[in-house]
Amino acid sequence: MRSFLLTAAAVAAFVPIGGGQVQAQTVAPLLDAMFQDHAVVQRERPIAVWGRATPGARVSVALGAARAETTAHADGSWRTNLPALPAGGPHVLTAESAAGGEQSVSDVMVGDVWLCSGQSNMEFAVRQATNAESEIGGARDDRMRLFLVERASKPAPAEAVQPIGQWRTTSPDSVRDFSAACYFMGRDLRRTDDVPVGLIAASWGGSIIEDWLSREAVVGLGGHDQALEALDAYARDPQRGEAQWRQITQAWWAAHDPGTQQGWNLAQTRDADWAPIPAGGFWESTVEGLQTFDGIIWLRKEVELTAAQARQAATLELGPVDDADVTWVNGRYVGGQQGWDTPRVYALPAGTLKPGRNLIAVGVLDTNGGGGAWGAAESKRLRLADGTSIALSSGWRHRIAAPLGDLPNPPRTPWIGGSGTTTLYNGMIAPLGPWGLKGLAWYQGESNIGDPTGYRRLLPALFADWRQRFESPDMRALVVQLANFGPAAEQPTNSYWAALRESQRAVVGADPLAGLAVAIDIGDRYDIHPTNKLEVGRRLALEARRLDGAVQPVSPQPLSVARTADGVQIRYASGARLVAYGSDRPVGFELCDANDDCRFVDASLSSDLVVLTSARPSDVKVRFCWADSPVCNLYGPAGLPAVPFEGLIP
């Protein structure tokens, strides 16, 4: 808990009022909510300290032997920098205002602070990981501190920042719900470096990278004007913002969705034109042939109503729809939302329904992972105004409208947490203030699968944005490359997953302060949330130490691709001899012509050189491990897999 001296606001000050009575008045703490007992601040750089005080008051701050003073601004905010300190502690941090009041927090360590962020695989808790109970039971380290940021999505930065988490020492209780990948990385670093470590975990399952960027960064990227304008309108007036965004989304569906353009309704189509779809699940897991489909599929269901039922107002409940929907009843648009786990509930005014056959038609846009109307059977129903409930859990049929590759980027509702624009930055990053960081560990990308080219601009923008936000220009940026997930490929394929991995590799390779933790061999074909987070943490820690100048094993990276008399040669920069597990030669290599017509090819291995012997003059590109869940056996030292890649042949 936070420590306060008697003169600070942990106690109530009694102020005289008329008749000699007294009234309790609470004085606000001097220090920002981030400064708590057990905190860790970054070593060997100036330490930012900030908070609020009486406007114009002189504020003095001390941490160990370091001292600094400043004056509170007219709005009461203040900020100063303490001189850099070496690793160590524990220390007491004290803030004192000349206008009265003093606050102190204790057990503050100086060490290395890492921010771990991303989507569900970074949010994935230690209690869910492989060998969880044993790992939790052994979690005791007084010099590693954990700060779990509470989920918060805000359309605009908060004027008054509230506490968003608590600094805690490492114990079975604090570790249980903490990010597994983050914890195992920190634990690995603590085993080799006797330096206090602070881990800040701020993640949101299913989130896109755009939601983690500041407004300034999004404006700098360009192309997001409509989203930002609607977001501003929503922040002022939610109904106005929703109306503005409804026009934008309806225009997109009308322009790009064949189902909307053709007006698929009772008058123009028959059930025979639509294939049945099993109830209560994602189409990837229930419909043969759609296991890997991303794009737009229309669902339809007919409901018979009596005249008495049809004259009533009603509520249409569809349960959650992954990822976005537009819903029509009898040819009338009744609603549309975004958010893979957001239940859809749409009001149907009297006159929407009619006696006899009624058609419910739902256009579903899936951008990655599961797709469809899912959830409990009881969440799908038509509730009439008289209380009658008509089940809608079965009897649905479907029709493919367009694959994702044929569609431009769909609009994402900008204020929905996880799939919006800047809302997670506003709610979970900005409140951290200019807290000094050693580095960032980033595990995200699954929700941006549909635009791997755009990700090449977004990821470096995130690095630059957060380096500025945390005043840490030398912030390390560790990226977990997407793990294997999805069906194995019998033939070469143009995989979105592989393309986004290549974007991650390219961005990291262009940044001297970035490192790539390759995870292509520790995923799960059948589960987007693999449980082996201990190995993810180990590989992140290896990259962290490498960026500090330590000699560390690394995943083999292609150094050059060349055409020779022997075929196509790929030389690796691994620092050690490569090996092919389970075979006398590496597998997973492809050669492609200018039309992206690719084929698997045989390869031979000699030390750090791979030779593809069946090359053709028309081959212009080489690929390795290029699939959602590729099978590849090329490894370097310390059990690290070679990185998947795509390269041109000179």
Side-chain angles (χ1 to χ4, degrees), residues 172-192:
D173 184 53
S174 63
V175 159
R176 180 174 296 276
D177 292 316
F178 197 75
S179 162
C182 189
Y183 167 69
F184 290 129
M185 177 191 73
R187 189 180 70 176
D188 202 288
L189 291 172
R190 284 281 300 133
R191 287 174 172 173
T192 56

PDB file of all heavy atoms in Angstrom, residues 172-192:
ATOM      1  N   PRO A 172       3.499 -16.010  -5.412  1.00  0.00           N
ATOM      2  CA  PRO A 172       2.474 -16.828  -6.074  1.00  0.00           C
ATOM      3  C   PRO A 172       1.175 -16.072  -6.314  1.00  0.00           C
ATOM      4  O   PRO A 172       0.527 -16.244  -7.350  1.00  0.00           O
ATOM      5  CB  PRO A 172       2.285 -17.997  -5.103  1.00  0.00           C
ATOM      6  CG  PRO A 172       3.625 -18.138  -4.445  1.00  0.00           C
ATOM      7  CD  PRO A 172       4.122 -16.725  -4.280  1.00  0.00           C
ATOM      8  N   ASP A 173       0.808 -15.202  -5.386  1.00  0.00           N
ATOM      9  CA  ASP A 173      -0.445 -14.475  -5.529  1.00  0.00           C
ATOM     10  C   ASP A 173      -0.380 -13.449  -6.647  1.00  0.00           C
ATOM     11  O   ASP A 173      -1.319 -13.306  -7.438  1.00  0.00           O
ATOM     12  CB  ASP A 173      -0.796 -13.786  -4.206  1.00  0.00           C
ATOM     13  CG  ASP A 173      -2.142 -13.080  -4.266  1.00  0.00           C
ATOM     14  OD1 ASP A 173      -3.133 -13.725  -4.637  1.00  0.00           O
ATOM     15  OD2 ASP A 173      -2.192 -11.875  -3.947  1.00  0.00           O
ATOM     16  N   SER A 174       0.724 -12.719  -6.766  1.00  0.00           N
ATOM     17  CA  SER A 174       0.819 -11.663  -7.777  1.00  0.00           C
ATOM     18  C   SER A 174       1.091 -12.223  -9.168  1.00  0.00           C
ATOM     19  O   SER A 174       0.708 -11.617 -10.175  1.00  0.00           O
ATOM     20  CB  SER A 174       1.927 -10.671  -7.406  1.00  0.00           C
ATOM     21  OG  SER A 174       3.199 -11.301  -7.398  1.00  0.00           O
ATOM     22  N   VAL A 175       1.731 -13.381  -9.253  1.00  0.00           N
ATOM     23  CA  VAL A 175       2.104 -13.959 -10.537  1.00  0.00           C
ATOM     24  C   VAL A 175       0.929 -14.638 -11.229  1.00  0.00           C
ATOM     25  O   VAL A 175       0.845 -14.664 -12.467  1.00  0.00           O
ATOM     26  CB  VAL A 175       3.271 -14.962 -10.342  1.00  0.00           C
ATOM     27  CG1 VAL A 175       3.375 -15.950 -11.485  1.00  0.00           C
ATOM     28  CG2 VAL A 175       4.564 -14.201 -10.165  1.00  0.00           C
ATOM     29  N   ARG A 176       0.024 -15.187 -10.479  1.00  0.00           N
ATOM     30  CA  ARG A 176      -1.033 -16.053 -11.026  1.00  0.00           C
ATOM     31  C   ARG A 176      -1.732 -15.443 -12.233  1.00  0.00           C
ATOM     32  O   ARG A 176      -1.932 -16.099 -13.252  1.00  0.00           O
ATOM     33  CB  ARG A 176      -2.041 -16.384  -9.927  1.00  0.00           C
ATOM     34  CG  ARG A 176      -3.183 -17.283 -10.377  1.00  0.00           C
ATOM     35  CD  ARG A 176      -4.046 -17.689  -9.199  1.00  0.00           C
ATOM     36  NE  ARG A 176      -3.292 -18.502  -8.257  1.00  0.00           N
ATOM     37  CZ  ARG A 176      -3.124 -19.813  -8.378  1.00  0.00           C
ATOM     38  NH1 ARG A 176      -3.659 -20.460  -9.401  1.00  0.00           N
ATOM     39  NH2 ARG A 176      -2.420 -20.483  -7.490  1.00  0.00           N
ATOM     40  N   ASP A 177      -2.148 -14.183 -12.138  1.00  0.00           N
ATOM     41  CA  ASP A 177      -2.903 -13.547 -13.216  1.00  0.00           C
ATOM     42  C   ASP A 177      -2.050 -12.612 -14.060  1.00  0.00           C
ATOM     43  O   ASP A 177      -2.577 -11.868 -14.892  1.00  0.00           O
ATOM     44  CB  ASP A 177      -4.090 -12.771 -12.643  1.00  0.00           C
ATOM     45  CG  ASP A 177      -5.140 -13.698 -12.049  1.00  0.00           C
ATOM     46  OD1 ASP A 177      -5.454 -14.721 -12.685  1.00  0.00           O
ATOM     47  OD2 ASP A 177      -5.631 -13.401 -10.949  1.00  0.00           O
ATOM     48  N   PHE A 178      -0.743 -12.662 -13.873  1.00  0.00           N
ATOM     49  CA  PHE A 178       0.150 -11.786 -14.625  1.00  0.00           C
ATOM     50  C   PHE A 178       0.482 -12.418 -15.975  1.00  0.00           C
ATOM     51  O   PHE A 178       0.367 -13.637 -16.167  1.00  0.00           O
ATOM     52  CB  PHE A 178       1.433 -11.545 -13.834  1.00  0.00           C
ATOM     53  CG  PHE A 178       2.229 -10.364 -14.306  1.00  0.00           C
ATOM     54  CD1 PHE A 178       1.813  -9.076 -14.013  1.00  0.00           C
ATOM     55  CD2 PHE A 178       3.386 -10.533 -15.050  1.00  0.00           C
ATOM     56  CE1 PHE A 178       2.540  -7.980 -14.446  1.00  0.00           C
ATOM     57  CE2 PHE A 178       4.118  -9.454 -15.488  1.00  0.00           C
ATOM     58  CZ  PHE A 178       3.692  -8.168 -15.186  1.00  0.00           C
ATOM     59  N   SER A 179       0.886 -11.581 -16.935  1.00  0.00           N
ATOM     60  CA  SER A 179       1.273 -12.055 -18.262  1.00  0.00           C
ATOM     61  C   SER A 179       2.378 -13.107 -18.164  1.00  0.00           C
ATOM     62  O   SER A 179       3.446 -12.854 -17.607  1.00  0.00           O
ATOM     63  CB  SER A 179       1.764 -10.883 -19.109  1.00  0.00           C
ATOM     64  OG  SER A 179       2.508 -11.339 -20.219  1.00  0.00           O
ATOM     65  N   ALA A 180       2.122 -14.292 -18.745  1.00  0.00           N
ATOM     66  CA  ALA A 180       3.093 -15.387 -18.661  1.00  0.00           C
ATOM     67  C   ALA A 180       4.352 -15.075 -19.455  1.00  0.00           C
ATOM     68  O   ALA A 180       5.475 -15.257 -18.957  1.00  0.00           O
ATOM     69  CB  ALA A 180       2.459 -16.686 -19.161  1.00  0.00           C
ATOM     70  N   ALA A 181       4.213 -14.620 -20.703  1.00  0.00           N
ATOM     71  CA  ALA A 181       5.389 -14.325 -21.518  1.00  0.00           C
ATOM     72  C   ALA A 181       6.239 -13.246 -20.862  1.00  0.00           C
ATOM     73  O   ALA A 181       7.477 -13.326 -20.849  1.00  0.00           O
ATOM     74  CB  ALA A 181       4.961 -13.893 -22.921  1.00  0.00           C
ATOM     75  N   CYS A 182       5.595 -12.245 -20.298  1.00  0.00           N
ATOM     76  CA  CYS A 182       6.313 -11.155 -19.633  1.00  0.00           C
ATOM     77  C   CYS A 182       7.025 -11.653 -18.384  1.00  0.00           C
ATOM     78  O   CYS A 182       8.210 -11.362 -18.164  1.00  0.00           O
ATOM     79  CB  CYS A 182       5.321 -10.051 -19.287  1.00  0.00           C
ATOM     80  SG  CYS A 182       6.071  -8.525 -18.678  1.00  0.00           S
ATOM     81  N   TYR A 183       6.320 -12.412 -17.565  1.00  0.00           N
ATOM     82  CA  TYR A 183       6.916 -12.919 -16.331  1.00  0.00           C
ATOM     83  C   TYR A 183       8.116 -13.816 -16.607  1.00  0.00           C
ATOM     84  O   TYR A 183       9.178 -13.669 -15.993  1.00  0.00           O
ATOM     85  CB  TYR A 183       5.871 -13.674 -15.512  1.00  0.00           C
ATOM     86  CG  TYR A 183       6.475 -14.479 -14.383  1.00  0.00           C
ATOM     87  CD1 TYR A 183       7.042 -13.851 -13.282  1.00  0.00           C
ATOM     88  CD2 TYR A 183       6.510 -15.879 -14.436  1.00  0.00           C
ATOM     89  CE1 TYR A 183       7.619 -14.586 -12.249  1.00  0.00           C
ATOM     90  CE2 TYR A 183       7.080 -16.612 -13.415  1.00  0.00           C
ATOM     91  CZ  TYR A 183       7.632 -15.968 -12.326  1.00  0.00           C
ATOM     92  OH  TYR A 183       8.207 -16.705 -11.320  1.00  0.00           O
ATOM     93  N   PHE A 184       7.975 -14.748 -17.549  1.00  0.00           N
ATOM     94  CA  PHE A 184       9.078 -15.669 -17.823  1.00  0.00           C
ATOM     95  C   PHE A 184      10.271 -14.937 -18.435  1.00  0.00           C
ATOM     96  O   PHE A 184      11.423 -15.311 -18.188  1.00  0.00           O
ATOM     97  CB  PHE A 184       8.605 -16.804 -18.724  1.00  0.00           C
ATOM     98  CG  PHE A 184       7.665 -17.767 -18.052  1.00  0.00           C
ATOM     99  CD1 PHE A 184       6.454 -18.100 -18.626  1.00  0.00           C
ATOM    100  CD2 PHE A 184       7.996 -18.333 -16.829  1.00  0.00           C
ATOM    101  CE1 PHE A 184       5.582 -18.983 -18.000  1.00  0.00           C
ATOM    102  CE2 PHE A 184       7.133 -19.213 -16.189  1.00  0.00           C
ATOM    103  CZ  PHE A 184       5.920 -19.543 -16.775  1.00  0.00           C
ATOM    104  N   MET A 185      10.035 -13.895 -19.212  1.00  0.00           N
ATOM    105  CA  MET A 185      11.140 -13.083 -19.708  1.00  0.00           C
ATOM    106  C   MET A 185      11.869 -12.409 -18.548  1.00  0.00           C
ATOM    107  O   MET A 185      13.106 -12.456 -18.455  1.00  0.00           O
ATOM    108  CB  MET A 185      10.619 -12.012 -20.674  1.00  0.00           C
ATOM    109  CG  MET A 185      11.712 -11.080 -21.185  1.00  0.00           C
ATOM    110  SD  MET A 185      11.078  -9.621 -22.061  1.00  0.00           S
ATOM    111  CE  MET A 185      10.432  -8.653 -20.673  1.00  0.00           C
ATOM    112  N   GLY A 186      11.108 -11.767 -17.671  1.00  0.00           N
ATOM    113  CA  GLY A 186      11.722 -11.094 -16.538  1.00  0.00           C
ATOM    114  C   GLY A 186      12.470 -12.051 -15.628  1.00  0.00           C
ATOM    115  O   GLY A 186      13.567 -11.742 -15.148  1.00  0.00           O
ATOM    116  N   ARG A 187      11.890 -13.221 -15.385  1.00  0.00           N
ATOM    117  CA  ARG A 187      12.558 -14.202 -14.528  1.00  0.00           C
ATOM    118  C   ARG A 187      13.871 -14.654 -15.147  1.00  0.00           C
ATOM    119  O   ARG A 187      14.874 -14.824 -14.445  1.00  0.00           O
ATOM    120  CB  ARG A 187      11.637 -15.397 -14.298  1.00  0.00           C
ATOM    121  CG  ARG A 187      12.173 -16.367 -13.247  1.00  0.00           C
ATOM    122  CD  ARG A 187      11.252 -17.534 -13.048  1.00  0.00           C
ATOM    123  NE  ARG A 187      11.241 -18.445 -14.197  1.00  0.00           N
ATOM    124  CZ  ARG A 187      10.566 -19.593 -14.233  1.00  0.00           C
ATOM    125  NH1 ARG A 187       9.813 -19.946 -13.184  1.00  0.00           N
ATOM    126  NH2 ARG A 187      10.598 -20.365 -15.288  1.00  0.00           N
ATOM    127  N   ASP A 188      13.862 -14.853 -16.468  1.00  0.00           N
ATOM    128  CA  ASP A 188      15.087 -15.271 -17.140  1.00  0.00           C
ATOM    129  C   ASP A 188      16.155 -14.189 -17.044  1.00  0.00           C
ATOM    130  O   ASP A 188      17.340 -14.484 -16.821  1.00  0.00           O
ATOM    131  CB  ASP A 188      14.788 -15.601 -18.601  1.00  0.00           C
ATOM    132  CG  ASP A 188      15.816 -16.524 -19.218  1.00  0.00           C
ATOM    133  OD1 ASP A 188      16.937 -16.056 -19.461  1.00  0.00           O
ATOM    134  OD2 ASP A 188      15.507 -17.711 -19.456  1.00  0.00           O
ATOM    135  N   LEU A 189      15.772 -12.937 -17.200  1.00  0.00           N
ATOM    136  CA  LEU A 189      16.725 -11.843 -17.071  1.00  0.00           C
ATOM    137  C   LEU A 189      17.278 -11.757 -15.653  1.00  0.00           C
ATOM    138  O   LEU A 189      18.473 -11.491 -15.453  1.00  0.00           O
ATOM    139  CB  LEU A 189      16.059 -10.518 -17.458  1.00  0.00           C
ATOM    140  CG  LEU A 189      15.716 -10.352 -18.947  1.00  0.00           C
ATOM    141  CD1 LEU A 189      14.891  -9.090 -19.161  1.00  0.00           C
ATOM    142  CD2 LEU A 189      16.988 -10.307 -19.790  1.00  0.00           C
ATOM    143  N   ARG A 190      16.445 -11.982 -14.671  1.00  0.00           N
ATOM    144  CA  ARG A 190      16.896 -11.922 -13.276  1.00  0.00           C
ATOM    145  C   ARG A 190      17.892 -13.032 -12.960  1.00  0.00           C
ATOM    146  O   ARG A 190      18.761 -12.878 -12.098  1.00  0.00           O
ATOM    147  CB  ARG A 190      15.688 -12.042 -12.342  1.00  0.00           C
ATOM    148  CG  ARG A 190      14.851 -10.791 -12.242  1.00  0.00           C
ATOM    149  CD  ARG A 190      15.473  -9.749 -11.298  1.00  0.00           C
ATOM    150  NE  ARG A 190      15.606 -10.295  -9.959  1.00  0.00           N
ATOM    151  CZ  ARG A 190      16.708 -10.202  -9.210  1.00  0.00           C
ATOM    152  NH1 ARG A 190      17.792  -9.611  -9.701  1.00  0.00           N
ATOM    153  NH2 ARG A 190      16.739 -10.708  -7.997  1.00  0.00           N
ATOM    154  N   ARG A 191      17.804 -14.153 -13.657  1.00  0.00           N
ATOM    155  CA  ARG A 191      18.710 -15.266 -13.386  1.00  0.00           C
ATOM    156  C   ARG A 191      20.131 -14.988 -13.853  1.00  0.00           C
ATOM    157  O   ARG A 191      21.079 -15.599 -13.363  1.00  0.00           O
ATOM    158  CB  ARG A 191      18.176 -16.539 -14.052  1.00  0.00           C
ATOM    159  CG  ARG A 191      16.962 -17.128 -13.344  1.00  0.00           C
ATOM    160  CD  ARG A 191      16.381 -18.303 -14.113  1.00  0.00           C
ATOM    161  NE  ARG A 191      15.344 -18.980 -13.339  1.00  0.00           N
ATOM    162  CZ  ARG A 191      14.571 -19.959 -13.799  1.00  0.00           C
ATOM    163  NH1 ARG A 191      14.719 -20.368 -15.060  1.00  0.00           N
ATOM    164  NH2 ARG A 191      13.659 -20.518 -13.032  1.00  0.00           N
ATOM    165  N   THR A 192      20.289 -14.083 -14.808  1.00  0.00           N
ATOM    166  CA  THR A 192      21.622 -13.807 -15.341  1.00  0.00           C
ATOM    167  C   THR A 192      22.148 -12.437 -14.951  1.00  0.00           C
ATOM    168  O   THR A 192      23.357 -12.200 -15.023  1.00  0.00           O
ATOM    169  CB  THR A 192      21.612 -13.917 -16.880  1.00  0.00           C
ATOM    170  OG1 THR A 192      20.618 -13.035 -17.408  1.00  0.00           O
ATOM    171  CG2 THR A 192      21.305 -15.342 -17.312  1.00  0.00           C
TER     172      THR A 192
END
